[in-house]
Amino acid sequence: YHAKQKGNHYLFFNDGMNEQAVKRLQIENLMRFGLKEDHFVVYYQPKMDIKSGALVGMEALVRFITPKKGIIPPNVFIPIAEETGQIIDIGEVVLDKACRDVKTWIDAGLFDGRVAVNLSAKQFSLPDLTTRIDVILQKNQLPSYFLELEITEGTVMDDPKEAIAIMRSLSARGIHLAMDDFGTGYSSLAYLKQFPLNTLKVDKAFIDDMHSERGRNMVDSIVTIAQNLDLHVVAEGVESADQLTYLEALNCQTIQGYYYSKPLSYEEFTLFLRNHHAQKVVRPKLKVVAN
Ligand code: C2E
Ligand code: MG
Ligand code: MG
Ligand code: MG
């Protein structure tokens, strides 16, 4: 009996492992199919200036929409795509679509800022990265000025010296660079000042902790470091008016989060831009009337 139970336990354990492996393989296959069938869609989340309420940019966020399994979230498929290398093709699709979409908004006179695209570690270390980016920008007739790339600490701390060289070649093209999820990785302050960064994005985990004084002090410290290094600060994952008030008091300029908007589809974001644009046109007129 005992042995049999042990046997069952062993079988069960084995099945569990298989289940996970099967699931990964399933997602890998779905991604291969999805790349062929155009199942990767790009959503956009606005980045707003706290003081003026103006739109300063947007982040492109990939969505994997499968006909059979529905939407598979990035946190599920991105790590697998990183392992299999499929992130390189997926990343190019996202960059291409983001450039195409932002070009239509610029041409329509609805926007003239930057679109931020997440760049994975695998993409970052491609020897022909800059050529690939140039090709996509050219294809979409988008000047590099309109592009920002978000990279994480893990990506640059793998080989910081090499990372600085790659970042310089991107920066020389006028592409802006943001350090994403700042504070969650292992980047050292010694390197932080050497990286040619424009922006530091404070990770949502720190924003979530702002209900406590210690949490607010932490964000204060990060914002101060960024400002001392002449970096622009974006707080990500801002959900409440309280967080907004604290961030404004800490002199953080830009916020991104559900408080303003969730990531939006191309059609939804176009509407968002039209409304935003209309508001901006209307506001000064109202002021004149009030005077
Ligand atoms: P990230 O680059 O840090 O993107 C911000 C994430 O926070 C997004 O999740 C966004 O939807 C979410 N978020 C923003 N504001 C709020 C908020 O107020 N509350 C909550 N609960 N969440 C908020 P998403 O779209 O699920 O993406 C997760 C991660 O997947 C991204 O984190 C990024 O690391 C990765 N990712 C997404 N798209 C791409 C891509 O095209 N390429 C690569 N390499 N990675 C991507
Ligand atoms: Mg990001
Ligand atoms: Mg982030
Ligand atoms: Mg994050």
Side-chain angles (χ1 to χ4, degrees), residues 11 36 47 53 74 82 146 184 191 247:
L11 267 179
K36 277 196 209 121
K47 297 182 189 181
E82 279 274 0
F146 294 103
T184 61
Y191 274 115
L247 286 163

Side-chain angles (χ1 to χ4, degrees), residues 45 59-63 73-75 78 82 87 90-91 94 117-120 123 150 152 180-181 201 203-204 236-239 256-259 261 263:
Q45 188 175 34
E59 177 174 12
L61 294 157
V62 67
R63 296 289 176 263
N75 294 337
I78 296 270
E82 279 274 0
I87 191 68
I90 295 169
V94 174
V117 179
N118 291 284
L119 197 70
S120 79
Q123 285 175 285
E150 296 191 2
T152 61
D180 204 353
D181 305 337
K201 295 189 80 176
D203 193 72
K204 180 179 187 301
E236 51 176 24
V238 178
E239 293 180 345
Q256 177 185 345
Y258 293 177
Y259 178 79
S261 173

Side-chain angles (χ1 to χ4, degrees), residues 96-242:
D96 185 34
K97 289 187 175 182
C99 289
R100 182 195 65 192
D101 291 348
V102 81
K103 173 80 175 160
T104 70
W105 295 324
I106 292 165
D107 288 351
L110 291 168
F111 181 67
D112 65 355
R114 292 175 190 266
V115 63
V117 179
N118 291 284
L119 197 70
S120 79
K122 276 255 165 72
Q123 285 175 285
F124 186 77
S125 51
L126 283 169
D128 59 345
L129 172 71
T130 48
T131 313
R132 285 169 184 251
I133 292 173
D134 287 343
V135 167
I136 293 174
L137 286 170
Q138 211 144 53
K139 177 190 162 197
N140 290 287
Q141 295 186 43
L142 186 74
S144 50
Y145 163 81
F146 294 103
L147 184 62
E148 175 163 0
L149 295 171
E150 296 191 2
I151 48 186
T152 61
E153 292 167 89
T155 299
V156 290
M157 287 312 291
D158 204 31
D159 184 350
K161 295 241 158 67
E162 176 68 16
I164 290 169
I166 297 168
M167 290 168 84
R168 282 199 183 131
S169 72
L170 294 168
S171 184
R173 285 165 162 73
I175 296 170
H176 270 195
L177 298 170
M179 177 76 82
D180 204 353
D181 305 337
F182 182 73
T184 61
Y186 299 95
S187 66
S188 79
L189 290 178
Y191 274 115
L192 192 61
K193 72 171 197 299
Q194 291 184 51
F195 293 134
L197 289 165
N198 304 92
T199 300
L200 211 134
K201 295 189 80 176
V202 183
D203 193 72
K204 180 179 187 301
F206 296 106
I207 307 305
D208 288 344
D209 277 347
M210 289 189 84
H211 52 83
S212 76
E213 200 185 338
R214 281 170 68 94
R216 290 193 293 278
N217 289 340
M218 192 73 188
V219 175
D220 191 9
S221 303
I222 297 173
V223 171
T224 303
I225 289 171
Q227 285 168 348
N228 285 335
L229 293 171
D230 262 330
L231 298 173
H232 187 89
V233 188
V234 178
E236 51 176 24
V238 178
E239 293 180 345
S240 73
D242 278 352

Side-chain angles (χ1 to χ4, degrees), residues 71-90:
I71 297 179
I72 304 176
N75 294 337
V76 172
F77 73 85
I78 296 270
I80 301 172
E82 279 274 0
E83 269 186 39
T84 62
Q86 288 166 305
I87 191 68
I88 292 170
D89 288 339
I90 295 169

Side-chain angles (χ1 to χ4, degrees), residues 268-285:
E268 290 167 336
F269 202 90
T270 304
L271 281 178
F272 177 89
L273 287 172
R274 289 217 181 98
N275 289 335
H276 192 74
H277 198 69
Q279 275 174 27
K280 268 202 295 196
V281 173
V282 167
R283 242 186 244 135
K285 275 186 191 156

